[in-house]
Amino acid sequence: MSRKTYSLSAAAIVAIGTISFSSADMSGAVAQESDAEVVSVPEVAESSDTVFISQEVVQPLAAETLEDDEKASLIPQAAPTADSLRQLVGQIDTSGTLSEELRCLAGAVYFEARGEPLAGQLAVAKVVMNRADDRRFPASYCGVVYQRAQFSFVKGGRMPNIRTGTAAWKRAKAIAQIAHDAMWESEVDDSLYFHAKYVRPSWSRKKTQRASINTHIFYR
């Protein structure tokens, strides 16, 4: 901010006596942040420390001016509380459209474990999630599900058609959401592998068993 002062003085001698007159004109300009147009004054040199902002500065809206529903949307919503996994599944809203990642997770639950108890379905979802978090596997749910020669229900790199109007698909979607949001603990813990009890693959002898749920055995 700069301020400049200009002075002008004059003296006149009158025959009757001597009277002195002096006058001074002062002009100043204060630069401030506003929407007013800035008018340049050619006679005044610009200060060397002038700063220009190339982009619009947007001041955040004060919280007090937000509508009530907007305020509510900023508050994290508490997860549902339930006494059992079955009760929690019943509380999950499955009417919305799933993201592609959650659809892959729900698809794995549906095709691998829809005939299993809910704990077994959650365990399958947990294995998919554990793999996505392990650098030895693809880093997404869909990448894990479609990884070659990992899930037998995937044919030609595609997931079979899902009977979306069934209760089994509704449960699979709820289990996928519960697993993704960590709403319920699974006894399989950090398992990365599982197989049906009626088979015994050679790789299972080299793994550590974590849990056995209904017809599946889970390993790390």
Side-chain angles (χ1 to χ4, degrees):
M1 181 172 65
S2 61
R3 185 181 182 91
K4 295 183 179 297
T5 303
Y6 301 91
S7 299
L8 177 64
S9 61
I13 301 175
V14 181
I16 300 175
T18 301
I19 304 176
S20 297
F21 299 89
S22 63
S23 64
D25 293 329
M26 301 181 64
S27 64
V30 179
Q32 60 182 351
E33 297 178 2
S34 69
D35 294 330
E37 181 181 359
V38 178
V39 180
S40 60
V41 182
E43 293 82 1
V44 181
E46 293 182 353
S47 174
S48 61
D49 59 352
T50 302
V51 177
F52 294 93
I53 300 177
S54 60
Q55 297 181 352
E56 181 182 7
V57 177
V58 180
Q59 181 178 355
L61 187 64
E64 290 78 5
T65 64
L66 294 175
E67 298 294 337
D68 290 340
D69 56 346
E70 291 177 310
K71 290 180 182 179
S73 67
L74 299 178
I75 303 174
Q77 300 301 308
T81 57
D83 296 327
S84 67
L85 180 55
R86 180 172 298 279
Q87 185 181 40
L88 181 58
V89 167
Q91 294 177 4
I92 302 301
D93 181 7
T94 58
S95 62
T97 302
L98 293 178
S99 67
E100 186 62 25
E101 284 294 289
L102 280 180
R103 185 177 178 83
C104 286
L105 185 60
V109 172
Y110 179 80
F111 287 110
E112 286 289 340
R114 66 177 180 269
E116 294 290 297
L118 295 177
Q121 295 183 40
L122 181 62
V124 169
K126 185 64 175 175
V127 167
V128 173
M129 292 172 57
N130 286 344
R131 285 193 173 196
D133 288 338
D134 192 300
R135 62 183 180 180
R136 292 171 293 180
F137 296 92
S140 68
Y141 300 160
C142 289
V144 168
V145 170
Y146 289 113
Q147 187 177 16
R148 186 178 179 181
Q150 295 301 306
F151 289 91
S152 60
F153 69 85
V154 175
K155 305 294 184 182
R158 299 183 62 185
M159 187 180 294
N161 291 330
I162 298 171
R163 297 175 60 190
T164 56
T166 62
W169 175 238
K170 182 179 179 179
R171 285 193 298 270
K173 290 194 295 181
I175 287 291
Q177 191 68 59
I178 290 169
H180 177 72
D181 291 339
M183 297 182 192
W184 198 268
E185 292 292 331
S186 173
E187 60 188 282
V188 300
D189 195 26
D190 58 353
S191 296
L192 293 170
Y193 311 90
F194 67 89
H195 67 76
K197 289 182 178 179
Y198 53 80
V199 298
R200 186 170 177 78
S202 58
W203 55 260
S204 64
R205 294 191 294 269
K206 303 176 183 178
K207 307 299 179 184
T208 302
Q209 182 174 326
R210 286 288 194 250
S212 176
I213 304 175
N214 204 33
T215 64
H216 285 129
I217 302 175
F218 297 83
Y219 301 84
R220 172 63 184 186

